[in-house]
Amino acid sequence: MSGTILRRLLSMLPVMGVVAICVFLLLHLAPGDPASIIAGENATPENIARIREQLGLDQPVWKQFLVWIAAMLHGDLGTSLFWGDTVLSLIGQRAEPTVSLALTTLAVAVFLAIAIGVLAASHAGTWIDRLVMGFAVLGFSVPVFVVGYLLIFVFAVNLKWLPVQGYSPLAEGLLPWLRNLVLPSVALGMAYVALIARITRTTMLDVLAEDYMRTARAKGVATRAMLFRHALKNAAVPIATVVGNGVALLIGGVVITETVFNIPGIGRLVVDAIARRDYPIIQGVIMVFSGVYVLVNLLVDLSYTLFDPRVRG
Amino acid sequence: MAEPVLAVEDLRTHFFTQDGVTRAVDGLNFTVGAGETLGIVGESGCGKSVTALSVMRLLPAGLGRTVGGKVLFGGRDLLQLDEAQMRRIRGDRIAMIFQEPMTSLNPVLSVGEQIAESVMIHQGKTKAEAWARAAEMLALVRIADAERRVKDYPHQFSGGMRQRVMIAIALSCHPQLLIADEPTTALDVTIQAQILKLMIELKSRIGAAILLITHDLGVVAETCQRVVVMYAGRKVEEASVLDLFDRPLHPYTRGLMASIPRHRRAGPPPRRLQEIPGIVPNLRDPIAGCAFAPRCPLATARCTAEAPSLRSAGTHSVACWEVTP
Ligand SMILES: Nc1ncnc2c1ncn2[C@@H]1O[C@H](COP(=O)(O)OP(=O)(O)OP(=O)(O)O)[C@@H](O)[C@H]1O
Ligand SMILES: [Mg+2]
């Protein structure tokens, strides 16, 4: 087992390598010169050239790439052009809000999505099913920022139930932390819930039509045990796969959600960095996000053995 | 005959599809005596499985519905029970095994869990007691090394062994009636015989009756005391097994007899199966006369116009204008 995990961890390396190349090329081929942005509007060409030299931007692109990769392999994501701090420390400072937002959303969304997916499947063809599916289409097609502003307008501005925006660290109390997370989590999780609910419903419908479900009924198993004990475990592998793949939605959504709700997290860090062409931060954050995504999906793959005895071999 | 365990009276089960109503079972009567093995035979599509599912009230929801008749079991009409009452009977008083051993067990639950579950639901046993019973049942259906194998999953068993597991589940609560819907059709011939023998032996041990559904008269000959021959959702003949093989009356039954494959015995290679010419009627169109008339060598004008009613002499009954019981 630990051998498998090690092998799978090593197999992440080529994936991350490809990600690194793509990220680097994309940023360096995109228009915009960080040196002139840092130098300001009234800078002379000499000024800009000096800054460019300081930052190593005068080097050939391949050389810049190798320097960046070599540093990364030593655990160094580089130094921000604008802040002068290391990218790693900047990410560290901004991690709490982002991790809080992502994890609470993930936990609540997965639980909720599976519940309504199972509900829809067990009431297939009824108005409950249609309601859930209607929500799934809507939740998936309305952009995060629209949901976000709508929620702010209704629940924060009009009803005044929850804060309009911002973040309150966990260290300053559980309740303010939670109150600040509710609306962003809903906005962020909407598409994710829709995605997982839909696959849960589809997979459960297939499972419910299986012969062994008829066997369970013939044994006198009660409805709830039929759904959760007999069916859901059989549906777990496709659901877990989508839970893993859907983390991409969360990562993309975090960037937008943090902007809409003015949350000082990693998403905001990277949005600001893009405006300033602060390459090291953009590259570093993308590498971290990609690493998280690949790692989550590795965990999902490993979880299959929990659900399905046939893959245990 | 003693008080029957199961009495089915004028059972009518129809399927409501977009193309119309299919009368899968259309006025069926039969009884199963305590400890008896009753066979129901008939070609594919004649309503055997639908009959079994109607008794268990396991018809596919929204499609099939029992629209008339009675299913009397232990003095109660099962068709009148609510779902919770029915659940207490299923798997406890009436158990069922199905044709497809490869897909009838849940792949993600160990066979022990699947046997123990019935015991826990119906007998209120603790988990430990139920698992002990599971191992016992597994040994009873002759799975070697049962103590260890209860923890195994279905994919670790062969088709024949899975059907044994199904039997173990079905008999775990000592039901009064076991409904076996083509329990051996999907298995090798040698395994078939073993499974049938096991079923018969265990049912006598626990004193259950069996309703055995099959399209194979050979299986009936080996296992049943009485037999009901079904055609197009109705009973066309009923007799003791000895009587039926001695003196098959209905032309359809005779056709079935002629098509029994001989491969059960050693000897010359099997000759071509003699099939009854023609096809099973579409149950969607109401049938005026005898449903078998279009395929029947004895059919007359009367047969296509008027449905024959069941006439009996002693325990042998037949629905045909052209033969006398
Ligand atoms: N799910 C269904 N939807 C619509 N019609 C059905 C359905 N199941 C059965 N029927 C109808 O009921 C009739 C009887 O089917 P049944 O399954 O009882 O046949 P059977 O005698 O068990 O045949 P086999 O030997 O193939 O198992 C079929 O001809 C079919 O028209
Ligand atoms: Mg059938």
Side-chain angles (χ1 to χ4, degrees), chain A residues 194-209:
Chain A
L195 184 74
I196 300 170
R198 196 149 46 170
I199 191 77
T200 303
R201 174 184 178 274
T202 314
T203 321
M204 282 291 285
L205 277 181
D206 287 346
V207 171
L208 290 176

Side-chain angles (χ1 to χ4, degrees), chain B residues 29-108:
Chain B
N29 292 282
F30 67 88
T31 61
V32 186
E36 183 189 34
T37 304
L38 173 76
I40 294 187
V41 282
E43 282 170 296
S44 188
C46 71
K48 306 182 298 291
S49 297
V50 172
T51 302
L53 294 175
S54 305
V55 170
M56 288 292 271
R57 300 245 318 258
L58 289 177
L59 293 162
L63 267 177
R65 189 149 46 86
T66 298
V67 295
K70 284 182 181 162
V71 175
L72 298 170
F73 178 80
R76 286 195 290 180
D77 183 1
L78 298 188
L79 301 180
Q80 305 302 327
L81 300 188
D82 63 31
E83 186 56 28
Q85 291 172 314
M86 202 55 218
R87 264 204 306 266
R88 282 198 286 277
I89 289 177
R90 288 188 201 121
D92 184 39
R93 301 295 80 222
I94 309 180
M96 185 161 177
I97 48 186
F98 300 93
Q99 177 173 344
E100 308 82 7
M102 302 313 278
T103 52
S104 289
L105 290 168
N106 194 322
V108 303

Side-chain angles (χ1 to χ4, degrees), chain A residues 47-67:
Chain A
N47 241 334
I48 295 174
R50 212 185 53 245
I51 291 174
R52 188 174 287 145
E53 200 179 326
Q54 277 174 1
L55 300 176
L57 295 173
D58 56 340
Q59 303 285 326
V61 169
W62 62 268
K63 207 165 171 188
Q64 291 183 42
F65 180 70
L66 288 183
V67 169

Side-chain angles (χ1 to χ4, degrees), chain A residues 211 215 217-219 229-230 234, chain B residues 91 103-104 106 114 117 122:
Chain A
D211 285 341
T215 306
R217 284 223 288 152
K219 280 162 67 177
R229 203 171 125 74
H230 287 260
N234 277 287
Chain B
T103 52
S104 289
N106 194 322
Q114 296 187 59
E117 184 178 34
H122 296 296

